[in-house]
């Protein structure tokens, strides 16, 4: 019963999210307007999944990486290029996308996790830059910064065929994949393995002296989190049917860092909230004052650093803890 | 009793400056040895070499008959070497019970907490008399409580050898007594203690090794060491003169 009560807010939020397409239709936004809002929400879900993968690495294991976009971008290219040039079926394309991001995460991880302290950030940023420049250099193939488009009309689940051109079905796909990933990561963070990641964040030499193979653990979390970034990339490729070298840039990873910090690192829910909030603000500003968004972002970050270093979720938890004390 | 730890001709230098210049040391199962010596004698370096936090330039470290000087710290810990750090905040944002559980869980499954680890964690919290504070984050504990926790973490995996780096540093008299009693009560674990407080050394150690300029100056029972004129001259004499 208690467990149910604890989970009630999450279940209600999930139910609401699942019926948003119907709700939008009800309030009289069926046509183009409704589709627009739905697609904005879908983008939030895709980027939220990317931020979620980042939180495992940064929020739990304390690894400040600027290379997370590599595995996001590799998965996107894996899907688009394999179906574009080799005629892979949607499932084959998804498989190759996931595989290439997994292998990429292993290769980058082997090098990066050995570098201690701030060196890790620099190494991941530099590798990210190199991969980006390689994608730009191969413009004829990758489309460079202009990107390439691909057409994957539908995804066949056997009993069910999802039309990727239908915004509602794309939305449900994104929501489903995000929720599955969230459940998997929530489970993982509650295992002794998840706790071991927190030990590394809190005090790596102490964890090692207790018998935790910290180097191996850092590699494992780098690969797991890189693979979830890859899953976000698969989703991006299916929904947007587009790939671009810009998606490999370190600035894309920096966005995930900002969303995670604003929402609350090490909470999993926080990065989702941070992503939704900042994506919404980005949209609001984009329309009438595009230069305003970076300014606002700076202000928000300053506010978080000064007033809520644990992010939005951390602040809410502190409030609740205080209320319970009274 | 068989030899548990054997250190042979251990050398370590930092930037060309020798910190340890050929140290030999042997410890039997269950033996309690204090390492004393003036600042810069190489005491903490010796612990770091045995614990694996540092690698020696030359020499051997044998634990239960195995050469371990090339092993990473986590492997030494699994093999039965526990250690405490001079300055440690443990895992500050995790609760006391989560700290202890994580320490007890090391070496068990990655996916499920072992019932045995849970029991061990509870047992240790009781032993440290910290059960009432189990839910608090470690950052909110007092200095004395954190020192006790530091020892508890090192004990969680039931080590055969416990390396203690100034376990009573910075503690009030009553807290020092508590930590001393805790260490006295331990059974079946050999202790290697770096300690400045001679009263604590007298209570805890069967024997003393004196380090000076990276070498073993003297080794013997507490009484022998206190009677050694060389030791008095360079260390005890100075310490007495200060007080």
């Amino acid at each position: 019963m208690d467990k149910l009560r604890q989970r009630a807010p999450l279940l209600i939020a999930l139910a609401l999210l699942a019926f948003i397409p119907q709700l939008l239709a009800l309030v009289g936004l069926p046509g183009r307007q409704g589709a627009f809002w739905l697609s904005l929400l879908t983008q939030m879900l895709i980027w939220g999944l990317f931020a979620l993968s980042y939180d495992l690495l940064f929020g739990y294991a304390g690894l400040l990486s600027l290379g997370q976009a590599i595995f996001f971008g590799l998965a996107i290219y894996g899907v688009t290029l394999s179906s574009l040039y080799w005629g892979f079926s949607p499932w084959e394309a998804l498989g190759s996308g996931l595989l290439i991001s997994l292998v990429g995460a292993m290769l980058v991880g082997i090098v990066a996790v050995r570098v201690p302290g701030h060196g890790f950030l620099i190494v991941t940023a530099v590798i990210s830059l190199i991969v980006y420049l390689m994608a730009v250099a191969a413009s004829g193939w990758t489309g460079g910064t202009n990107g390439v488009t691909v057409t994957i009309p539908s995804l066949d689940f056997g009993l069910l065929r999802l039309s990727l051109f239908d915004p509602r079905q794309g939305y449900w796909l994104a929501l489903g994949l995000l929720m599955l990933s969230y459940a998997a990561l929530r489970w993982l963070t509650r295992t002794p393995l998840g706790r071991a990641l927190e030990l590394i964040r809190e005090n790596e030499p102490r964890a090692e002296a207790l018998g935790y193979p910290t180097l191996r653990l850092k590699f494992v979390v780098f690969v797991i989190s890189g693979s979830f970034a890859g899953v976000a990339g698969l989703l991006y490729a299916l929904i947007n049917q587009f790939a671009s070298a810009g998606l490999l840039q370190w600035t894309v990873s920096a966005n995930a860092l900002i969303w995670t910090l604003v929402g609350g690192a090490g909470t999993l829910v926080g990065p989702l909230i941070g992503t939704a909030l900042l994506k919404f603000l980005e949209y609001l500003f984009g329309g009438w004052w595009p230069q305003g968004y970076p300014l606002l972002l700076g202000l928000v970050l300053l506010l978080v650093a000064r007033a809520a270093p644990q992010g939005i979720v951390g602040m809410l938890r502190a409030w609740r803890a205080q209320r319970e004390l009274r | 009793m068989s030899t548990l730890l054997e250190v042979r001709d251990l050398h370590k230098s930092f930037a060309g400056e020798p910190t340890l210049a050929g140290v030999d040391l042997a410890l039997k199962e269950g033996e309690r040895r204090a390492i004393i010596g003036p600042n810069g004698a190489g005491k903490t370096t010796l612990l770091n070499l045995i614990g694996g936090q540092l690698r020696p330039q030359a020499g051997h470290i044998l634990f239960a008959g195995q050469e371990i000087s090339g092993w990473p710290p986590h492997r030494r810990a699994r093999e039965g070497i526990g250690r405490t750090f001079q300055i440690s905040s443990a895992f500050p944002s995790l609760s006391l019970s989560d700290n202890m559980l994580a320490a007890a869980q090391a070496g068990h499954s990655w996916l499920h907490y072992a019932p045995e680890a849970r029991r061990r964690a509870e047992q240790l919290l009781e032993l440290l008399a910290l059960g009432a504070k189990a839910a608090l984050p470690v950052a909110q504990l007092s200095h004395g409580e954190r020192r006790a926790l530091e020892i508890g973490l090192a004990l969680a995996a039931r080590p055969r050898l416990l390396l203690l780096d100034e376990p009573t540093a910075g503690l009030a008299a009553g807290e020092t007594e508590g930590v001393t009693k805790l260490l006295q009560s331990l059974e079946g674990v050999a202790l290697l203690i770096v300690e400045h407080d001679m009263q604590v050394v007298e209570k805890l150690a069967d024997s003393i090794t004196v380090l000076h300029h990276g070498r073993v100056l003297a080794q013997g029972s507490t009484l022998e060491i206190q009677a050694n004129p060389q030791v008095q001259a360079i260390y005890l004499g100075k310490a007495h003169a200060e007080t």
Side-chain angles (χ1 to χ4, degrees), chain A residues 78-80 82-83 87-98 150-157 161-162 164 234 237-238 241:
Chain A
V79 175
T80 49
S82 69
S83 62
F88 277 22
S89 77
W91 285 110
E92 287 166 354
L94 289 174
S96 20
L98 193 58
V150 67
T151 307
I152 303 172
S154 66
L155 199 57
D156 202 343
F157 284 92
R161 177 185 281 269
L162 271 188
L164 296 169
L234 303 183
L238 287 179
Q241 316 234 328

Side-chain angles (χ1 to χ4, degrees), chain B residues 22-240:
Chain B
V23 168
D24 294 281
L25 186 86
L27 206 66
K28 294 193 195 75
E29 299 260 12
E31 190 183 338
R32 298 171 175 188
R33 172 78 55 87
I35 298 176
I36 64 171
N39 283 333
K43 303 181 299 279
T44 296
T45 301
L46 180 61
L47 285 200
N48 282 334
L49 288 168
I50 299 170
Q53 283 74 31
L54 293 173
R55 299 285 165 90
Q57 267 101 23
H60 300 276
I61 304 169
L62 288 102
F63 182 72
Q66 294 185 88
E67 171 71 62
I68 61 164
S69 55
W71 291 10
H74 64 87
R75 190 163 166 211
R76 301 186 200 204
R78 294 275 176 92
E79 211 57 35
I81 301 180
R83 78 159 292 178
T84 69
F85 291 81
Q86 213 177 104
I87 301 161
S88 170
S89 44
F91 308 106
S93 70
L94 302 182
S95 75
L96 184 53
S97 60
D98 283 347
N99 267 263
M100 209 54 99
L101 181 58
Q105 177 71 21
H108 290 285
S109 160
W110 290 114
L111 300 183
H112 303 283
Y113 282 103
E116 187 198 326
R118 289 187 191 280
R119 277 197 300 276
R120 179 71 178 155
E122 274 171 37
Q123 182 195 359
L124 278 166
L125 282 178
E126 227 160 275
L127 179 73
L128 302 175
L130 287 173
K133 303 204 166 179
L136 285 183
V138 166
Q140 288 181 23
L141 298 182
S142 74
H143 180 65
E145 289 164 342
R146 265 185 260 176
R147 301 249 56 152
L149 168 66
E150 184 63 25
I151 295 168
L153 292 179
L155 284 174
R158 301 178 196 277
R160 294 160 76 188
L161 168 65
L162 187 55
L163 310 170
L164 297 151
D165 198 354
E166 301 200 21
T168 68
L171 293 187
E175 292 172 325
T176 298
E177 200 176 322
V179 167
T180 311
K181 278 201 176 126
L182 171 68
L183 292 173
Q184 276 176 325
S185 74
L186 301 178
E187 278 168 25
V189 49
L191 304 181
L192 197 59
I193 314 163
V194 169
E195 182 58 69
H196 279 300
D197 187 335
M198 282 312 288
Q199 282 183 324
V200 174
V201 169
E202 277 169 38
K203 279 183 198 156
L204 281 181
D206 311 320
S207 56
I208 298 178
T209 297
V210 185
L211 280 189
H212 188 49
H213 290 318
R215 290 173 201 277
V216 176
L217 181 82
Q219 193 153 305
S221 72
T222 314
L223 283 177
E224 282 165 8
I225 292 299
Q226 282 171 338
N228 185 318
Q230 252 186 313
V231 175
Q232 284 176 355
I234 69 126
Y235 183 69
L236 295 173
K238 208 172 83 189
H240 282 303

Side-chain angles (χ1 to χ4, degrees), chain A residues 187-188 190-196 198-214 216-217, chain B residues 53 72-74 77-78 83-85 88 90-94 98 102-103 105-106 109-113 150 153-154:
Chain A
W187 170 79
L188 180 75
R190 285 182 178 157
T191 63
L193 175 64
R195 175 54 46 77
E198 292 184 280
L199 302 187
I200 291 172
R201 176 193 71 203
E202 297 277 306
N203 192 343
E204 189 177 341
R206 194 73 189 90
E208 203 179 11
L210 288 176
Y212 283 95
T214 51
R216 218 175 309 160
L217 285 167
Chain B
Q53 283 74 31
H74 64 87
R78 294 275 176 92
R83 78 159 292 178
T84 69
F85 291 81
S88 170
F91 308 106
S93 70
L94 302 182
D98 283 347
Q105 177 71 21
S109 160
W110 290 114
L111 300 183
H112 303 283
Y113 282 103
E150 184 63 25
L153 292 179

Side-chain angles (χ1 to χ4, degrees), chain A residues 40-41 43-48 236 255 259 272-286 293 297:
Chain A
L40 181 66
L41 277 171
Q43 297 305 318
M44 286 177 182
L45 295 174
I46 297 169
W47 289 106
Y236 184 98
N255 278 335
W259 299 330
L272 301 181
I273 296 173
T275 307
L277 179 73
L278 290 174
K279 273 277 158 197
F280 183 66
L281 289 176
E282 188 184 2
Y283 155 73
L284 276 187
F285 274 74
Y293 177 67
L297 199 58

